[in-house]
């Protein structure tokens, strides 16, 4: 059996230097002398027979071999943290579910989906992280996340071994503060011509469908704002900047929490919701509970 003499202590020092971009800063973080960190790094490079870091301006940056080593170190030390968390949680009897939530997914939809995990026989500790779709997929592929909740499926041929599971879909409705809604409620949707409208940015899965719907009805609203983050879009909408679309499954919550009122229905517009996993078959019991809640009986999202 071939052995390289790799030492986890050496790997950890390399990982810290690569993250900090400096031996000095890594030594400060570790509370050690600069010479100690440099020696450990040299021992690792001697062990593998390759240079792992090189000067790049004022920083130390990974070489090609260093980038490979860094990707493995990320996984090694992440798994170490997860192991520690898992061992600590055995005392509480709680199951841990680390969820990535796409910034374009309505937060109330995310809550509705995750609510199913709280109805399980075993207690579930939720760790929710929000980010852009692509960043979440990368973290999922590295096993940093158990599942990603989002409003789009993964495009085929993307190179990442992740799988899309359709959870449900909902028609869309237009909402706004009363003073704006009064101007467009009659003769909707033709009344939207020139009306102030808040839209998701063009990288959002729903945006293309909204644009096509507007063209179909022959209206040209005044787009006063575009937002990547759905929560921010809703915040601007409830403060009267413009009208905004939201899933009909959330109509009651939108009106109750945001003080917005219904301007009109757009049932042809459909927003879909997905769970993305790194396995074709879902195995995490908490994710299975989400799928079960969606697929058995009436569930608010699956309308």
């Amino acid at each position: 059996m071939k052995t390289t003499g790799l030492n986890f202590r050496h790997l950890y020092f390399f990982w810290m230097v690569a993250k900090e971009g400096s031996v000095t800063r890594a030594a400060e973080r570790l509370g050690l002398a600069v010479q100690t960190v440099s020696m450990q790094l040299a021992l690792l490079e001697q062990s593998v027979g390759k240079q792992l870091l090189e000067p790049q301006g004022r920083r130390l940056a990974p070489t090609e071999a260093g980038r490979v080593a860094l990707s493995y170190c990320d996984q090694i030390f992440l798994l170490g943290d997860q192991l520690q968390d898992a061992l600590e949680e055995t005392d509480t009897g709680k199951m841990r579910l680390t969820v990535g939530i796409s910034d374009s997914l309505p937060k109330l939809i995310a809550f509705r989906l995750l609510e199913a995990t709280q109805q399980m026989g075993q207690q579930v500790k939720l760790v929710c992280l929000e980010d852009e779709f692509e960043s979440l997929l990368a973290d999922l592929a590295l096993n940093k996340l158990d599942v990603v909740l989002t409003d789009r499926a993964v495009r085929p041929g993307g190179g990442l071994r992740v799988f899309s599971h359709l959870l449900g879909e909902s028609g869309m409705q237009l909402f706004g503060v009363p003073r704006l809604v009064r101007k467009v409620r009659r003769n909707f949707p033709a009344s939207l011509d020139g009306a102030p409208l808040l839209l998701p940015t063009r990288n959002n899965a729903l945006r293309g469908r909204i644009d096509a719907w507007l063209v179909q009805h022959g209206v040209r609203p005044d787009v006063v704002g575009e937002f990547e983050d759905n929560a921010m879009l809703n915040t601007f909408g409830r403060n009267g900047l413009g009208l905004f679309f939201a899933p009909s499954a959330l109509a009651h919550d939108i009106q109750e929490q945001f003080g917005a009122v219904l301007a009109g229905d757009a049932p042809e517009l459909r927003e879909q919701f997905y769970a993305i996993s790194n396995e074709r078959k879902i195995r995490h019991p908490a994710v299975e509970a989400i799928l079960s809640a969606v697929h058995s009986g009436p569930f608010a999202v699956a309308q």
Side-chain angles (χ1 to χ4, degrees), residues 19 74-75 78-79 82 98-101 129-148 160-162 276-278:
K19 293 292 185 183
D74 283 338
Q75 296 182 62
L78 171 71
L79 288 172
Q82 291 178 342
T98 306
V99 186
I101 300 175
L129 306 171
E130 184 182 12
D131 207 336
E132 296 179 353
F133 180 68
E134 290 76 12
S135 297
L136 292 175
L137 291 187
D139 286 344
L140 179 66
L142 291 173
N143 294 309
K144 295 181 180 180
L145 302 170
D146 294 313
V147 68
V148 170
L160 292 176
R161 189 173 175 78
V162 294
I276 313 294
S277 73
N278 54 14

Side-chain angles (χ1 to χ4, degrees), residues 97 140 146-149 163-167 274-292 295:
L97 178 66
L140 179 66
D146 294 313
V147 68
V148 170
L149 300 181
F163 303 93
S164 304
H165 308 270
L166 179 63
L167 295 176
Y274 291 86
I276 313 294
S277 73
N278 54 14
E279 295 179 316
R280 188 178 297 278
K281 179 176 175 57
I282 294 290
R283 290 186 173 85
H284 195 294
V287 182
E288 287 182 339
I290 294 172
L291 293 174
S292 177
H295 296 144

Side-chain angles (χ1 to χ4, degrees), residues 11 31 40 44 55 65 72 74 98 111 125 137 159 178 192 198 242 273:
L11 287 173
Q40 298 293 324
L44 176 62
Y72 278 93
D74 283 338
T98 306
F111 170 76
K125 177 182 177 180
L137 291 187
L192 292 180
L198 305 176
F273 312 109

Side-chain angles (χ1 to χ4, degrees), residues 25-292:
R25 284 198 294 272
E28 290 173 353
R29 287 281 304 274
L30 294 166
L32 297 171
V34 171
Q35 293 83 354
T36 301
V37 177
S38 295
M39 183 183 300
Q40 298 293 324
L41 183 58
L43 288 172
L44 176 62
E45 291 183 328
Q46 181 181 349
S47 174
V48 299
K50 294 181 182 293
Q51 183 180 357
L52 300 178
L53 295 167
E54 62 184 359
Q56 192 174 89
R58 296 186 177 182
R59 292 177 56 85
L60 281 176
T63 61
E64 184 176 350
R67 285 192 291 272
V68 173
L70 184 59
S71 68
Y72 278 93
C73 286
D74 283 338
Q75 296 182 62
I76 289 168
F77 297 119
L78 171 71
L79 288 172
D81 289 341
Q82 291 178 342
L83 173 60
Q84 184 174 352
D85 289 339
L87 292 175
E88 290 174 354
E89 286 164 11
T90 57
D91 296 333
T92 66
K94 289 185 179 181
M95 180 189 306
R96 181 187 179 95
L97 178 66
T98 306
V99 186
I101 300 175
S102 173
D103 54 10
S104 59
L105 183 73
K107 301 306 174 286
L108 287 170
I109 289 290
F111 170 76
R112 291 279 185 87
L113 294 172
L114 294 173
E115 193 175 25
T117 65
Q118 305 306 301
Q119 312 304 319
M120 298 173 61
Q122 183 178 0
Q123 284 188 305
V124 176
K125 177 182 177 180
L126 293 173
V127 179
C128 298
L129 306 171
E130 184 182 12
D131 207 336
E132 296 179 353
F133 180 68
E134 290 76 12
S135 297
L136 292 175
L137 291 187
D139 286 344
L140 179 66
L142 291 173
N143 294 309
K144 295 181 180 180
L145 302 170
D146 294 313
V147 68
V148 170
L149 300 181
T150 183
D151 60 348
R152 73 190 79 174
V154 178
R155 293 179 182 177
L160 292 176
R161 189 173 175 78
V162 294
F163 303 93
S164 304
H165 308 270
L166 179 63
L167 295 176
E169 62 178 25
S170 174
M172 303 297 290
Q173 294 177 313
L174 193 69
F175 296 89
V177 297
R179 65 176 175 81
L180 293 180
V181 169
R182 282 194 294 268
K183 298 176 182 179
V184 301
R185 184 171 279 168
R186 292 185 62 182
N187 198 30
F188 181 89
S191 56
L192 292 180
D193 204 52
L197 194 62
L198 305 176
L199 292 177
T201 52
R202 295 189 183 278
N203 60 345
N204 186 292
L206 181 64
R207 175 62 184 270
R209 295 195 288 273
I210 292 177
D211 287 344
W213 183 84
L214 293 171
V215 170
Q216 177 188 350
H217 289 281
V219 294
R220 297 184 64 182
D222 178 16
V223 179
V224 296
E226 299 184 41
F227 302 84
E228 282 192 339
D229 182 75
N230 181 268
M232 185 175 292
L233 188 154
N234 288 342
T235 297
F236 276 77
R238 70 181 178 184
N239 283 282
L241 182 65
L243 301 160
F244 61 100
F245 286 99
S248 57
L250 300 179
H252 176 75
D253 301 274
I254 292 290
Q255 295 178 68
E256 186 176 85
Q257 295 184 26
F258 294 170
V261 294
L262 178 65
D265 290 308
E268 309 98 320
L269 277 176
R270 310 293 293 180
E271 185 166 27
Q272 297 177 320
F273 312 109
Y274 291 86
I276 313 294
S277 73
N278 54 14
E279 295 179 316
R280 188 178 297 278
K281 179 176 175 57
I282 294 290
R283 290 186 173 85
H284 195 294
V287 182
E288 287 182 339
I290 294 172
L291 293 174
S292 177

